[in-house]
Amino acid sequence: MSDAFEITRLDDQGGKGFEKVFAFLRERLLAGSLKPGDRLIPERELAAQLGVSRPILREALRALTVLGIVEIRDRVGTIVRRPDISVLNDFFTFALSHRSDLMDDIVQARVAIECQSIRLAAERASVADLERLQAALRQIEETIDDVEAGGRADFDFHHAIVRASGSETLLVLYDSMSAVLMRSHLDRRHLVRVFDMRTYLIEDHKRVFDAIVGGNPEIADRSLREHFAIGDEFRRKLAIQGGRRADQPD
Amino acid sequence: MSDAFEITRLDDQGGKGFEKVFAFLRERLLAGSLKPGDRLIPERELAAQLGVSRPILREALRALTVLGIVEIRDRVGTIVRRPDISVLNDFFTFALSHRSDLMDDIVQARVAIECQSIRLAAERASVADLERLQAALRQIEETIDDVEAGGRADFDFHHAIVRASGSETLLVLYDSMSAVLMRSHLDRRHLVRVFDMRTYLIEDHKRVFDAIVGGNPEIADRSLREHFAIGDEFRRKLAIQGGRRADQPD
DNA sequence: GTATGCATCTTGGTCTGACCACGGTATGAA
DNA sequence: TTCATACCGTGGTCAGACCAAGATGCATAC
């Protein structure tokens, strides 16, 4: 355990044992003095130093494991982890099963990220980025009749845009939502059976690609928003027809 | 506790106590037979029925609280919650603290979120949202010579834009960056001492506000980007002068 | 000197039983 | 009927014990 993990007895004001321990650990870990792979001191010692019982400490540690912040290894100790988006699966699975409105909301964040990404991509995409986008376009064409693979191909194209932004932060945020967005793409691919969307899927993705190559951030942004708007329109038509709800635009 | 919560003793195969209890509870709650507001049976009873000790059950319940799936109320019981994306705030905070070291990069995400937010705000801001923005504008004027309070006021204005979007997701993402953004605002407030930025700070924030009130998403988006661009220009001037680096635009 | 086997240590995983805090409910007395 | 008190119920927490199993250290044999 790193010396940087300075233990102080928790003060007596406010909150219950768990809350104070959790907040303390969270802050200490956020302070950044511990790196992924570092091990915290043994539970018994940590609990004693923090002045709480071991089960309470364990509740706090367990909470941190669920957030992907640490990992408790049997008979080894508690190890600091690199944050991992897979922890979000449980949340999104639960959340979306109860609140379909959240999908629309998450898509706002998706739009935010992709539109800013495409602006950056128009300015700074590398040859490798463009090749990646081209490959994704080809994949969209090849999978036009396959719901599963097609949804995957759509996602890959959009992911490639975010990647082409060269922004680590935008990519982290986008990856955090990838499970939800994948689902969205799949649902939208089911619309292919209701409407003939092949032209839209193929041509419009190309149009977006051309806008990136064109190098003008505003035009690229606008082309992507138009792309989303068309997808929204298909969804609107389906809703008016009373058909099965498809969640989101491509 | 709803009758629908059928308890079975956990089987003996695979996994440790915690893992089995957590998986069982997660699945039962995902099955949807419990609604927000429903109460689980008392911990002692639930632990006995599941065949585990109470501390282990509590670890599992605590994990579920962190995922926002349930809420443990002191002396009442464990209540099923309505999913709320704000529980992911800690996750995003950690994810960004480990992966995004550069202020410039985080600001790309900030721009993405604010620009999408202002588009939504132009369409859907409530009276309360507008009042909040107005209050923040007044605060900017009143704190124009105070670095600390001024940085706070700037942040509050921008935060109010995100809030006016009405998007939980965008707000959570923004909040997870708030510590970094606060720093950015403070740093930028130091520029007031180098350049006379008062007009910019006061008038340009008003211009952004007016764009929101104007109700046109694209115009609002553009006005905010222009606002950032002006702030960038001040920063560029400082860099050319070789003065102290201020990190980012307002 | 080196290798192997056995005992001990370490650390998380879990259990048991006890106690605390405090709001809500029930009961008894006026 | 109303008010006061006692009890109950439930989560919050503690202390101490035990288990499992890998790692380490020590002793013995080759």
Side-chain angles (χ1 to χ4, degrees):
Chain A
M1 165 97 152
S2 168
D3 293 340
F5 204 94
E6 191 179 293
I7 305 295
T8 56
R9 199 146 187 118
L10 302 174
D11 64 43
D12 290 323
Q13 55 180 300
K16 305 200 196 284
F18 167 82
E19 287 168 18
K20 291 193 297 186
V21 175
F22 182 68
F24 174 84
L25 292 174
R26 185 180 54 197
E27 281 156 30
R28 300 301 297 163
L29 289 159
L30 260 184
S33 46
L34 289 180
K35 301 172 302 302
D38 285 352
R39 205 187 71 157
L40 304 198
I41 63 174
E43 289 179 5
R44 288 177 179 87
E45 212 175 305
L46 187 51
Q49 293 193 17
L50 292 174
V52 297
S53 67
R54 201 166 142 229
I56 299 307
L57 173 71
R58 287 191 59 82
E59 282 183 36
L61 292 176
R62 204 58 94 168
L64 292 171
T65 67
V66 168
L67 290 171
I69 296 171
V70 298
E71 173 184 13
I72 304 177
R73 285 214 200 117
D74 192 355
R75 279 172 290 107
V76 175
T78 302
I79 314 292
V80 178
R81 281 186 69 178
R82 190 173 178 173
D84 169 12
I85 60 171
S86 65
V87 305
L88 298 178
N89 287 341
D90 284 338
F91 172 78
F92 283 128
T93 300
F94 174 76
L96 292 174
S97 72
H98 284 80
R99 289 185 56 190
S100 56
D101 64 301
L102 262 182
M103 179 65 89
D104 286 350
D105 202 54
I106 291 167
V107 167
Q108 290 305 322
R110 179 240 178 141
V111 171
I113 292 163
E114 279 193 41
C115 290
Q116 183 64 13
S117 294
I118 201 169
R119 283 175 176 259
L120 295 171
E123 292 176 335
R124 50 164 82 149
S126 66
V127 170
D129 290 325
L130 298 176
E131 283 170 346
R132 199 174 290 117
L133 283 159
Q134 284 275 31
L137 280 178
R138 279 195 299 275
Q139 201 61 18
I140 288 171
E141 289 192 49
E142 287 165 19
T143 58
I144 201 67
D145 292 313
D146 181 335
V147 170
E148 286 285 336
R152 174 89 237 168
D154 292 340
F155 174 80
D156 287 345
F157 179 81
H158 289 266
H159 190 265
I161 292 174
V162 178
R163 201 155 161 200
S165 75
S167 164
E168 182 81 12
T169 306
L170 289 174
L171 191 58
V172 167
L173 295 180
Y174 198 78
D175 283 344
S176 301
M177 295 182 258
S178 59
V180 178
L181 300 179
M182 257 307 322
R183 192 194 302 195
S184 172
H185 284 298
L186 281 180
D187 287 345
R188 203 289 328 283
R189 270 298 172 126
H190 285 294
L191 284 189
V192 175
R193 294 179 184 168
V194 185
F195 306 111
D196 189 355
M197 293 172 61
R198 296 155 201 248
T199 302
Y200 159 65
L201 284 173
I202 295 170
E203 297 306 324
D204 219 58
H205 280 113
K206 274 186 181 159
R207 190 176 58 79
V208 170
F209 174 76
D210 289 340
I212 295 170
V213 173
N216 182 312
E218 281 220 14
I219 289 172
D221 184 343
R222 199 175 300 127
S223 74
L224 189 56
R225 288 186 192 273
E226 283 163 8
H227 176 75
F228 291 142
I230 298 172
D232 278 343
E233 198 51 39
F234 280 116
R235 182 181 160 209
R236 199 170 291 114
K237 283 202 286 191
L238 187 70
I240 289 165
Q241 291 183 13
R244 195 186 77 93
R245 181 180 170 102
D247 289 309
Q248 287 306 326
D250 170 47
Chain B
M1 167 96 150
S2 169
D3 291 341
F5 204 94
E6 192 179 293
I7 304 296
T8 56
R9 200 148 188 114
L10 302 174
D11 63 43
D12 290 323
Q13 53 179 306
K16 304 204 197 289
F18 168 82
E19 286 168 18
K20 291 193 299 188
V21 175
F22 181 67
F24 174 82
L25 292 173
R26 185 181 56 199
E27 280 153 29
R28 298 302 297 163
L29 288 159
L30 274 180
S33 47
L34 290 180
K35 301 172 302 304
D38 285 352
R39 204 186 73 160
L40 305 198
I41 62 174
E43 290 179 2
R44 289 178 179 87
E45 210 175 309
L46 187 51
Q49 293 193 16
L50 291 175
V52 297
S53 67
R54 202 169 140 225
I56 299 307
L57 172 72
R58 286 189 61 81
E59 281 184 38
L61 291 176
R62 204 57 93 172
L64 291 172
T65 67
V66 167
L67 289 171
I69 296 175
V70 298
E71 171 187 12
I72 304 176
R73 285 214 200 115
D74 191 357
R75 280 172 288 108
V76 175
T78 302
I79 314 293
V80 179
R81 282 188 66 178
R82 183 169 187 261
D84 170 8
I85 200 165
S86 65
V87 303
L88 295 184
N89 186 60
D90 281 336
F91 171 80
F92 286 120
T93 302
F94 273 94
L96 294 177
S97 74
H98 277 81
R99 300 276 292 274
S100 307
D101 295 326
L102 297 178
M103 179 71 83
D104 285 356
D105 202 46
I106 293 177
V107 167
Q108 291 306 323
R110 179 240 179 140
V111 171
I113 292 163
E114 280 194 41
C115 289
Q116 183 63 15
S117 293
I118 201 169
R119 281 175 178 261
L120 294 172
E123 290 176 337
R124 47 162 87 150
S126 66
V127 171
D129 290 325
L130 298 176
E131 284 172 346
R132 199 174 291 117
L133 284 159
Q134 285 274 33
L137 280 177
R138 281 196 298 274
Q139 201 59 19
I140 288 172
E141 291 191 48
E142 287 166 19
T143 59
I144 201 66
D145 293 312
D146 180 338
V147 170
E148 285 287 334
R152 173 90 238 171
D154 293 340
F155 175 80
D156 287 346
F157 178 81
H158 289 265
H159 190 265
I161 292 174
V162 178
R163 199 154 162 202
S165 74
S167 164
E168 296 175 55
T169 309
L170 289 173
L171 190 58
V172 166
L173 294 180
Y174 199 76
D175 284 344
S176 63
M177 293 183 259
S178 58
V180 177
L181 298 179
M182 259 305 321
R183 222 163 49 223
S184 170
H185 285 298
L186 281 180
D187 286 345
R188 205 286 328 282
R189 272 294 174 127
H190 286 294
L191 284 189
V192 176
R193 295 180 181 166
V194 184
F195 306 112
D196 188 357
M197 293 173 63
R198 295 157 201 249
T199 302
Y200 161 64
L201 284 172
I202 295 170
E203 297 305 325
D204 219 57
H205 280 114
K206 274 187 183 160
R207 189 176 58 79
V208 170
F209 175 77
D210 290 340
I212 295 171
V213 173
N216 181 310
E218 281 220 15
I219 291 172
D221 183 342
R222 199 175 300 126
S223 75
L224 189 55
R225 288 185 192 273
E226 285 163 5
H227 177 75
F228 291 142
I230 298 172
D232 278 344
E233 197 51 39
F234 279 117
R235 181 181 161 208
R236 199 169 290 112
K237 285 203 287 188
L238 186 70
I240 288 165
Q241 290 183 13
R244 194 187 78 92
R245 180 180 172 104
D247 288 312
Q248 286 305 326
D250 169 44

